[in-house]
Amino acid sequence: MKAVVQERFGPPDSLRLREIDRPATGAGRVLVRVHAAAVNPYDWHMLRGDPYAARLTGGMGLTRPKHRVAGIDAAGVVERVGAGVREFRPGDPVLGFCPGAFAEYAATTAALLVPRPAGLTFEQAAALPMGAVTALRGIRTRTVGRVRAGQRVLVNGAGGGVGTFAVQIAAVLDAEVTGVCGARNTGLVRSLGAAHVIDYAREDFTEAGERYDVVLDLVGNHPLGRLRRVLTPAGVLVAAGGGAPGRVFGAIGAMAKVAAVNAVTRHRLRPILPATPDGPVHEDLLAVTALVDAGQLTPVIGRTFALAGTAEAVRHVEEGHARGKTVITVP
């Protein structure tokens, strides 16, 4: 099969399209014929081995990539199932977390897959897993955002891969949503359900004097003190690290700081990392696809690339201004 391979940590240009063997399908595993795969900031972090502190967790490898084939989010058709798999059979259209998604075939466990909603294309379906589940957890989960009807919610980074989902989910919960984004995305964010839209180039929301019950910060471009200033007395800050600088600790250091400040403030500060296949995600994937089936959640795809253009796609996301989700099509 054709696959996008990374032999070492490095920039997107280090990715190579190669002909390699298809992954094996052991007990409990599913081989998916990939039709589309989404690119996430997670992918370029894994590609670069950045931040260095994350290498110590074992998730990305210490001196070289743990996974030779890049990519996580995929949608496609079940090609083969291993022993013990009862949920799926060959021919079923699916989406989910598939390590090695930037390839014609990827193998994963059944618990990381769900049926593809009938109303979505494969490209739209591939856009869901990491972005939509992360947004769901940040906005709706009881231990994190816990947004309720009538609350004022601000999403910083509303035009991005997670932000476009977060705006929609908060609006479905009948919150009054304010989206912060670039000028080219203001119309999009409003169409997703935001009652108010702020162009970050024209206005600093931390200086506007408004207060919010929940702030979901997906960018990391403001100090914690300034973010806390826009919270109501009982407000919640959900911080995703965003573009936290530093190759040693990066977003991990930013998340640790959020946890430390939470211990000494009346506000609730909740760090949230991207949803990954390393934790339980099946129920979240089902919740996301239920919202899609109900017509309450629609993926926004900004750009698509061919499999041979994966390096360019990763570079586009790494630059930090991608609109919605960036998706790779696999013919």
Coordinates of all heavy atoms in Angstrom, one line a residue, residues 33-119:
R33 N -10.0 0.5 5.0 CA -9.5 1.1 3.8 C -9.8 2.6 3.8 O -11.0 3.0 3.9 CB -10.3 0.5 2.6 CG -10.1 1.2 1.2 CD -8.6 1.1 0.8 NE -8.4 1.6 -0.6 CZ -8.1 2.8 -0.9 NH1 -7.9 3.7 0.1 NH2 -7.9 3.2 -2.1
V34 N -8.8 3.4 4.0 CA -8.9 4.8 4.3 C -9.3 5.6 3.0 O -8.7 5.4 1.9 CB -7.6 5.4 4.8 CG1 -7.7 6.9 5.0 CG2 -7.2 4.7 6.1
H35 N -10.4 6.3 3.1 CA -10.8 7.2 2.1 C -10.4 8.7 2.3 O -10.3 9.4 1.4 CB -12.4 7.1 1.9 CG -12.8 5.9 1.3 ND1 -13.5 5.8 0.1 CD2 -12.7 4.6 1.6 CE1 -13.8 4.6 -0.3 NE2 -13.3 3.8 0.7
A36 N -10.3 9.1 3.6 CA -9.9 10.4 3.9 C -9.3 10.4 5.3 O -9.7 9.6 6.2 CB -11.1 11.4 3.9
A37 N -8.4 11.4 5.5 CA -7.8 11.5 6.9 C -7.6 13.0 7.1 O -7.4 13.8 6.2 CB -6.4 10.8 6.9
A38 N -7.9 13.4 8.4 CA -7.7 14.8 8.8 C -6.4 15.1 9.4 O -5.8 14.2 10.0 CB -8.9 15.1 9.8
V39 N -5.9 16.3 9.3 CA -4.7 16.7 9.8 C -5.0 17.6 11.1 O -5.9 18.4 11.1 CB -3.9 17.6 8.8 CG1 -2.5 18.0 9.4 CG2 -3.7 16.8 7.6
N40 N -4.3 17.3 12.2 CA -4.4 18.0 13.4 C -3.1 18.6 13.9 O -2.0 18.1 13.5 CB -4.9 17.1 14.5 CG -6.3 16.5 14.2 OD1 -7.3 17.1 14.4 ND2 -6.3 15.2 13.8
P41 N -3.1 19.7 14.7 CA -1.9 20.1 15.3 C -1.1 19.0 16.0 O 0.1 19.0 16.0 CB -2.3 21.2 16.3 CG -3.6 21.7 15.7 CD -4.3 20.6 15.1
Y42 N -1.8 18.1 16.5 CA -1.2 16.9 17.2 C -0.3 16.2 16.2 O 0.8 15.7 16.6 CB -2.4 15.9 17.6 CG -1.9 14.6 18.1 CD1 -1.8 14.5 19.5 CD2 -1.8 13.5 17.3 CE1 -1.4 13.2 20.0 CE2 -1.4 12.3 17.9 CZ -1.2 12.1 19.2 OH -0.9 10.9 19.7
D43 N -0.6 16.2 14.9 CA 0.2 15.5 13.9 C 1.6 16.1 13.7 O 2.6 15.4 13.6 CB -0.5 15.4 12.6 CG -1.8 14.6 12.7 OD1 -1.7 13.5 13.3 OD2 -2.8 15.0 12.2
W44 N 1.6 17.5 13.7 CA 2.9 18.1 13.5 C 3.8 18.0 14.8 O 5.0 18.0 14.8 CB 2.9 19.5 13.0 CG 2.3 20.6 13.8 CD1 1.1 21.2 13.7 CD2 3.0 21.3 14.8 NE1 0.9 22.2 14.6 CE2 2.1 22.3 15.3 CE3 4.3 21.3 15.4 CZ2 2.5 23.2 16.3 CZ3 4.7 22.1 16.4 CH2 3.7 23.1 16.8
H45 N 3.1 18.0 16.0 CA 3.8 17.8 17.2 C 4.5 16.4 17.2 O 5.6 16.3 17.6 CB 2.9 18.0 18.4 CG 2.6 19.4 18.8 ND1 3.6 20.2 19.3 CD2 1.5 20.1 18.7 CE1 3.1 21.4 19.6 NE2 1.8 21.4 19.2
M46 N 3.7 15.4 16.8 CA 4.3 14.0 16.7 C 5.4 14.0 15.7 O 6.4 13.3 15.9 CB 3.1 13.1 16.4 CG 2.0 13.0 17.4 SD 2.6 12.2 19.0 CE 2.7 10.5 18.5
L47 N 5.2 14.6 14.6 CA 6.2 14.6 13.5 C 7.5 15.2 14.0 O 8.6 14.7 13.7 CB 5.7 15.4 12.3 CG 6.6 15.6 11.2 CD1 7.1 14.2 10.6 CD2 6.0 16.4 10.1
R48 N 7.5 16.3 14.7 CA 8.7 17.0 15.2 C 9.2 16.4 16.5 O 10.3 16.8 16.9 CB 8.4 18.5 15.3 CG 8.2 19.2 14.0 CD 8.1 20.7 14.2 NE 7.9 21.4 13.0 CZ 8.9 21.9 12.2 NH1 10.2 21.7 12.6 NH2 8.7 22.6 11.1
G49 N 8.4 15.6 17.2 CA 8.8 15.2 18.6 C 8.8 16.4 19.5 O 9.7 16.5 20.4
D50 N 7.8 17.2 19.4 CA 7.8 18.5 20.1 C 6.5 18.6 20.9 O 5.4 18.4 20.3 CB 7.8 19.6 19.0 CG 7.7 21.0 19.5 OD1 7.5 21.2 20.7 OD2 7.8 22.0 18.7
P51 N 6.6 18.9 22.2 CA 7.7 19.3 23.0 C 8.5 18.1 23.4 O 8.0 17.0 23.5 CB 7.1 20.1 24.2 CG 5.8 19.4 24.4 CD 5.3 19.1 23.0
Y52 N 9.8 18.3 23.8 CA 10.6 17.2 24.2 C 10.1 16.5 25.4 O 10.3 15.3 25.5 CB 12.0 17.8 24.5 CG 12.7 18.4 23.3 CD1 13.5 19.6 23.5 CD2 12.6 17.9 22.1 CE1 14.2 20.1 22.4 CE2 13.3 18.4 21.0 CZ 14.0 19.6 21.1 OH 14.7 20.2 20.1
A53 N 9.5 17.2 26.3 CA 8.9 16.6 27.5 C 7.9 15.5 27.2 O 7.8 14.5 27.9 CB 8.3 17.6 28.4
A54 N 7.2 15.6 26.1 CA 6.2 14.6 25.7 C 6.9 13.3 25.3 O 6.2 12.2 25.4 CB 5.3 15.1 24.6
R55 N 8.1 13.3 24.9 CA 8.8 12.1 24.5 C 9.0 11.2 25.7 O 9.0 10.0 25.5 CB 10.2 12.4 23.9 CG 10.1 13.3 22.6 CD 11.5 13.4 22.0 NE 11.5 14.4 20.9 CZ 12.6 14.6 20.1 NH1 13.7 13.8 20.3 NH2 12.6 15.5 19.2
L56 N 9.1 11.8 26.9 CA 9.3 11.0 28.1 C 8.1 10.1 28.4 O 8.2 9.2 29.2 CB 9.7 11.9 29.2 CG 11.0 12.7 29.0 CD1 11.2 13.6 30.2 CD2 12.2 11.8 28.7
T57 N 6.9 10.5 27.9 CA 5.7 9.8 28.2 C 5.6 8.5 27.4 O 4.7 7.6 27.8 CB 4.4 10.6 28.0 OG1 4.3 10.8 26.5 CG2 4.5 12.0 28.7
G58 N 6.4 8.3 26.4 CA 6.4 7.1 25.6 C 5.4 7.2 24.4 O 5.3 6.3 23.6
G59 N 4.6 8.2 24.4 CA 3.5 8.3 23.4 C 4.0 8.6 22.0 O 3.4 8.2 21.0
M60 N 5.2 9.3 21.8 CA 5.7 9.6 20.5 C 7.0 9.0 20.2 O 7.5 9.2 19.1 CB 5.7 11.2 20.4 CG 6.6 11.9 21.3 SD 6.8 13.7 20.9 CE 5.2 14.3 21.0
G61 N 7.6 8.3 21.2 CA 9.0 7.8 20.9 C 10.0 8.7 21.5 O 9.8 9.9 21.7
L62 N 11.2 8.2 21.9 CA 12.2 9.0 22.6 C 13.2 9.6 21.6 O 13.4 10.8 21.6 CB 12.9 8.1 23.6 CG 13.9 8.9 24.5 CD1 13.2 9.9 25.3 CD2 14.6 7.9 25.4
T63 N 13.8 8.8 20.7 CA 14.8 9.3 19.8 C 14.3 9.3 18.4 O 14.9 9.9 17.5 CB 16.1 8.5 19.9 OG1 15.8 7.2 19.6 CG2 16.6 8.7 21.3
R64 N 13.2 8.5 18.1 CA 12.7 8.4 16.8 C 11.2 8.2 16.9 O 10.7 7.7 17.9 CB 13.3 7.3 15.9 CG 13.3 6.0 16.5 CD 14.2 5.0 15.7 NE 13.9 5.0 14.3 CZ 14.8 5.4 13.4 NH1 16.0 5.9 13.7 NH2 14.5 5.3 12.1
P65 N 10.4 8.4 15.9 CA 8.9 8.3 16.0 C 8.5 6.9 16.4 O 9.0 5.9 15.9 CB 8.4 8.7 14.6 CG 9.5 9.5 14.0 CD 10.8 9.0 14.6
K66 N 7.5 6.8 17.3 CA 7.0 5.5 17.7 C 6.2 4.9 16.6 O 6.2 3.7 16.4 CB 6.1 5.7 19.0 CG 5.5 4.5 19.5 CD 4.6 4.8 20.7 CE 4.0 3.5 21.3 NZ 3.2 3.8 22.5
H67 N 5.5 5.7 15.8 CA 4.7 5.2 14.7 C 5.3 5.6 13.4 O 5.5 6.8 13.2 CB 3.2 5.7 14.8 CG 2.5 5.3 16.0 ND1 2.1 4.0 16.3 CD2 2.1 6.0 17.1 CE1 1.5 3.9 17.4 NE2 1.5 5.1 18.0
R68 N 5.6 4.7 12.6 CA 6.3 5.0 11.3 C 5.4 5.7 10.3 O 5.9 6.6 9.6 CB 6.8 3.7 10.7 CG 7.7 3.9 9.5 CD 8.1 2.6 8.8 NE 8.9 2.8 7.7 CZ 9.0 2.0 6.6 NH1 8.2 0.9 6.6 NH2 9.8 2.3 5.6
V69 N 4.1 5.4 10.3 CA 3.2 6.1 9.5 C 2.4 7.1 10.3 O 1.9 6.8 11.3 CB 2.2 5.1 8.8 CG1 1.2 5.8 7.9 CG2 3.0 4.0 8.1
A70 N 2.3 8.3 9.7 CA 1.7 9.4 10.5 C 0.2 9.4 10.3 O -0.4 8.7 9.5 CB 2.3 10.8 9.9
G71 N -0.4 10.3 11.1 CA -1.9 10.5 11.0 C -2.6 9.7 12.1 O -2.2 8.7 12.6
I72 N -3.8 10.3 12.5 CA -4.7 9.7 13.5 C -6.1 9.6 13.1 O -6.7 8.5 13.2 CB -4.6 10.5 14.8 CG1 -3.2 10.4 15.5 CG2 -5.6 10.0 15.8 CD1 -2.9 9.0 16.0
D73 N -6.7 10.7 12.6 CA -8.1 10.7 12.2 C -8.4 10.1 10.8 O -7.7 10.5 9.9 CB -8.6 12.2 12.2 CG -8.7 12.8 13.6 OD1 -8.5 12.0 14.6 OD2 -9.1 13.9 13.7
A74 N -9.3 9.2 10.7 CA -9.6 8.6 9.4 C -11.1 8.3 9.3 O -11.8 8.1 10.2 CB -8.8 7.4 9.2
A75 N -11.5 8.2 8.0 CA -12.8 7.7 7.7 C -12.6 6.8 6.4 O -11.8 7.1 5.6 CB -13.8 8.8 7.4
G76 N -13.3 5.7 6.4 CA -13.2 4.8 5.3 C -14.2 3.6 5.4 O -15.2 3.7 6.0
V77 N -13.8 2.5 4.8 CA -14.6 1.3 4.8 C -13.8 0.1 5.4 O -12.6 0.0 5.1 CB -15.0 1.0 3.3 CG1 -15.8 -0.4 3.3 CG2 -15.9 2.1 2.8
V78 N -14.5 -0.7 6.2 CA -13.9 -1.8 6.8 C -13.5 -2.8 5.7 O -14.3 -3.2 4.9 CB -14.8 -2.5 7.8 CG1 -14.2 -3.8 8.3 CG2 -15.1 -1.6 9.0
E79 N -12.2 -3.2 5.7 CA -11.7 -4.1 4.8 C -11.6 -5.5 5.4 O -12.0 -6.5 4.7 CB -10.2 -3.7 4.4 CG -9.5 -4.6 3.4 CD -10.0 -4.4 2.0 OE1 -10.7 -3.5 1.7 OE2 -9.5 -5.2 1.1
R80 N -11.3 -5.6 6.6 CA -11.1 -6.9 7.3 C -11.2 -6.8 8.8 O -10.8 -5.7 9.3 CB -9.8 -7.6 6.9 CG -9.6 -9.0 7.3 CD -8.4 -9.7 6.7 NE -7.1 -9.0 7.0 CZ -6.4 -8.4 6.2 NH1 -6.7 -8.3 4.9 NH2 -5.2 -7.9 6.6
V81 N -11.8 -7.8 9.5 CA -11.8 -7.7 10.9 C -11.1 -8.9 11.5 O -11.1 -10.0 10.9 CB -13.3 -7.7 11.4 CG1 -14.0 -6.5 10.9 CG2 -14.0 -9.0 11.0
G82 N -10.5 -8.7 12.7 CA -9.8 -9.7 13.4 C -10.7 -10.6 14.2 O -11.9 -10.2 14.4
A83 N -10.2 -11.6 14.8 CA -11.0 -12.5 15.7 C -11.6 -11.7 16.9 O -10.9 -10.8 17.4 CB -10.1 -13.6 16.2
G84 N -12.8 -12.0 17.2 CA -13.4 -11.3 18.3 C -14.2 -10.1 18.0 O -14.9 -9.5 18.9
V85 N -14.0 -9.5 16.8 CA -14.7 -8.3 16.5 C -16.1 -8.6 16.0 O -16.3 -9.3 15.0 CB -14.0 -7.5 15.3 CG1 -14.8 -6.3 14.9 CG2 -12.6 -7.1 15.8
R86 N -17.1 -8.1 16.7 CA -18.5 -8.4 16.4 C -19.2 -7.1 15.9 O -20.3 -7.2 15.3 CB -19.3 -8.9 17.6 CG -18.7 -10.2 18.1 CD -19.0 -11.4 17.2 NE -18.5 -12.6 17.8 CZ -17.3 -13.2 17.4 NH1 -16.6 -12.5 16.5 NH2 -16.9 -14.3 17.9
E87 N -18.7 -5.9 16.2 CA -19.3 -4.7 15.9 C -19.4 -4.3 14.4 O -20.3 -3.6 14.0 CB -18.7 -3.5 16.7 CG -18.6 -3.7 18.2 CD -17.3 -4.3 18.6 OE1 -16.8 -5.2 17.9 OE2 -16.9 -4.0 19.7
F88 N -18.4 -4.8 13.7 CA -18.2 -4.4 12.3 C -18.0 -5.6 11.4 O -17.5 -6.6 11.9 CB -17.0 -3.4 12.1 CG -17.1 -2.1 13.0 CD1 -16.4 -2.0 14.1 CD2 -18.0 -1.1 12.7 CE1 -16.5 -0.9 14.9 CE2 -18.1 0.0 13.4 CZ -17.4 0.1 14.6
R89 N -18.3 -5.4 10.1 CA -18.0 -6.4 9.1 C -17.5 -5.7 7.9 O -17.7 -4.5 7.7 CB -19.2 -7.2 8.8 CG -20.4 -6.4 8.3 CD -21.6 -7.4 8.1 NE -22.7 -6.6 7.6 CZ -23.9 -7.2 7.3 NH1 -24.1 -8.5 7.6 NH2 -24.9 -6.5 6.8
P90 N -16.8 -6.4 7.0 CA -16.3 -5.8 5.8 C -17.3 -5.1 5.0 O -18.5 -5.6 4.8 CB -15.7 -7.0 5.0 CG -15.3 -8.0 6.1 CD -16.4 -7.8 7.1
G91 N -17.0 -3.9 4.5 CA -17.9 -3.1 3.8 C -18.6 -2.0 4.6 O -19.2 -1.0 4.0
D92 N -18.5 -2.0 5.9 CA -19.1 -1.0 6.8 C -18.4 0.3 6.6 O -17.1 0.3 6.8 CB -19.1 -1.4 8.2 CG -20.1 -2.5 8.5 OD1 -21.0 -2.8 7.7 OD2 -20.0 -3.1 9.6
P93 N -19.0 1.4 6.4 CA -18.4 2.7 6.4 C -18.2 3.2 7.9 O -19.1 3.2 8.7 CB -19.3 3.7 5.7 CG -20.7 3.0 5.8 CD -20.5 1.5 6.0
V94 N -17.0 3.6 8.2 CA -16.7 4.0 9.6 C -15.8 5.2 9.7 O -15.3 5.7 8.7 CB -15.9 2.8 10.3 CG1 -16.8 1.6 10.4 CG2 -14.6 2.5 9.5
L95 N -15.7 5.8 10.9 CA -14.8 6.8 11.2 C -14.2 6.6 12.6 O -14.8 5.9 13.4 CB -15.5 8.2 11.1 CG -16.5 8.5 12.2 CD1 -16.0 9.2 13.4 CD2 -17.6 9.3 11.6
G96 N -13.0 7.2 12.8 CA -12.5 7.1 14.2 C -11.0 7.4 14.2 O -10.4 8.0 13.3
F97 N -10.4 6.9 15.3 CA -9.0 7.1 15.6 C -8.2 5.9 15.0 O -8.3 4.8 15.5 CB -8.7 7.2 17.1 CG -9.3 8.5 17.7 CD1 -10.6 8.5 18.1 CD2 -8.5 9.6 17.8 CE1 -11.1 9.7 18.7 CE2 -9.0 10.8 18.3 CZ -10.3 10.8 18.8
C98 N -7.4 6.2 14.0 CA -6.7 5.1 13.3 C -5.2 5.5 13.2 O -4.8 6.2 12.2 CB -7.2 4.9 11.9 SG -8.9 4.3 11.8
P99 N -4.4 5.2 14.2 CA -2.9 5.5 14.1 C -2.4 5.0 12.7 O -2.6 3.8 12.4 CB -2.3 4.8 15.3 CG -3.4 4.7 16.3 CD -4.7 4.5 15.5
G100 N -1.7 5.8 12.0 CA -1.2 5.5 10.7 C -2.2 5.8 9.6 O -2.3 5.2 8.6
A101 N -3.0 6.9 9.9 CA -4.2 7.2 9.0 C -3.7 7.8 7.6 O -4.5 7.8 6.7 CB -5.1 8.2 9.7
F102 N -2.5 8.3 7.5 CA -2.0 8.9 6.3 C -1.5 7.8 5.3 O -0.4 7.7 5.0 CB -0.9 9.9 6.5 CG -1.4 11.1 7.3 CD1 -0.4 11.9 7.9 CD2 -2.7 11.4 7.5 CE1 -0.8 13.0 8.7 CE2 -3.1 12.5 8.2 CZ -2.1 13.3 8.8
A103 N -2.5 6.9 4.9 CA -2.1 5.7 4.2 C -3.4 5.2 3.5 O -4.5 5.6 3.8 CB -1.5 4.6 5.0
E104 N -3.2 4.2 2.6 CA -4.4 3.6 1.9 C -5.1 2.7 2.9 O -6.3 2.4 2.7 CB -3.9 2.9 0.7 CG -3.4 3.8 -0.4 CD -3.0 3.1 -1.7 OE1 -2.4 2.0 -1.5 OE2 -3.2 3.6 -2.8
Y105 N -4.4 2.1 3.9 CA -5.0 1.2 4.9 C -4.4 1.6 6.2 O -3.3 1.9 6.4 CB -4.7 -0.3 4.5 CG -5.4 -0.7 3.3 CD1 -4.7 -0.6 2.1 CD2 -6.6 -1.3 3.3 CE1 -5.3 -1.1 0.9 CE2 -7.2 -1.8 2.1 CZ -6.5 -1.6 0.9 OH -7.1 -2.1 -0.3
A106 N -5.3 1.4 7.3 CA -4.9 1.6 8.6 C -5.6 0.6 9.5 O -6.8 0.3 9.3 CB -5.2 3.1 9.1
A107 N -4.9 0.1 10.5 CA -5.5 -0.9 11.4 C -5.7 -0.2 12.8 O -4.8 0.6 13.3 CB -4.6 -2.1 11.6
T108 N -6.8 -0.5 13.4 CA -7.1 0.1 14.8 C -7.9 -0.9 15.5 O -8.3 -2.0 15.0 CB -7.7 1.4 14.6 OG1 -7.9 2.1 15.9 CG2 -9.1 1.3 14.0
T109 N -8.3 -0.6 16.8 CA -9.2 -1.4 17.6 C -10.6 -1.0 17.3 O -10.9 0.1 17.0 CB -8.8 -1.3 19.1 OG1 -9.1 0.0 19.5 CG2 -7.4 -1.7 19.4
A110 N -11.5 -2.0 17.5 CA -12.9 -1.7 17.3 C -13.4 -0.6 18.2 O -14.3 0.2 17.8 CB -13.7 -3.0 17.5
A111 N -12.9 -0.5 19.4 CA -13.4 0.5 20.3 C -13.1 1.9 19.9 O -13.6 2.9 20.4 CB -12.7 0.3 21.7
L112 N -12.2 2.1 18.9 CA -11.8 3.5 18.4 C -12.6 3.8 17.2 O -12.3 4.9 16.6 CB -10.3 3.5 18.2 CG -9.4 3.4 19.4 CD1 -8.0 3.4 19.0 CD2 -9.7 4.5 20.4
L113 N -13.6 3.0 16.8 CA -14.3 3.3 15.6 C -15.8 3.4 15.9 O -16.3 2.7 16.8 CB -14.1 2.1 14.5 CG -12.7 1.9 13.9 CD1 -12.7 0.7 13.1 CD2 -12.3 3.2 13.1
V114 N -16.5 4.1 15.1 CA -18.0 4.2 15.1 C -18.5 4.2 13.7 O -17.8 4.6 12.7 CB -18.5 5.4 15.9 CG1 -18.2 5.3 17.3 CG2 -18.0 6.7 15.2
P115 N -19.8 3.8 13.4 CA -20.3 3.9 12.1 C -20.3 5.4 11.6 O -20.6 6.3 12.3 CB -21.7 3.4 12.2 CG -21.7 2.6 13.4 CD -20.7 3.2 14.4
R116 N -20.0 5.6 10.3 CA -20.1 6.9 9.7 C -21.5 7.3 9.5 O -22.4 6.6 9.0 CB -19.4 6.9 8.3 CG -19.3 8.2 7.6 CD -19.0 8.1 6.1 NE -20.2 7.6 5.4 CZ -20.3 7.4 4.1 NH1 -19.2 7.7 3.4 NH2 -21.3 6.9 3.5
P117 N -21.9 8.5 10.0 CA -23.3 9.0 9.7 C -23.6 9.1 8.2 O -22.7 9.5 7.4 CB -23.2 10.4 10.3 CG -22.2 10.4 11.4 CD -21.1 9.5 10.8
A118 N -24.8 8.6 7.8 CA -25.1 8.5 6.4 C -25.1 9.8 5.7 O -24.8 9.8 4.5 CB -26.5 7.9 6.3
G119 N -25.3 10.9 6.4 CA -25.3 12.2 5.7 C -24.0 12.9 5.5 O -23.9 14.0 4.9

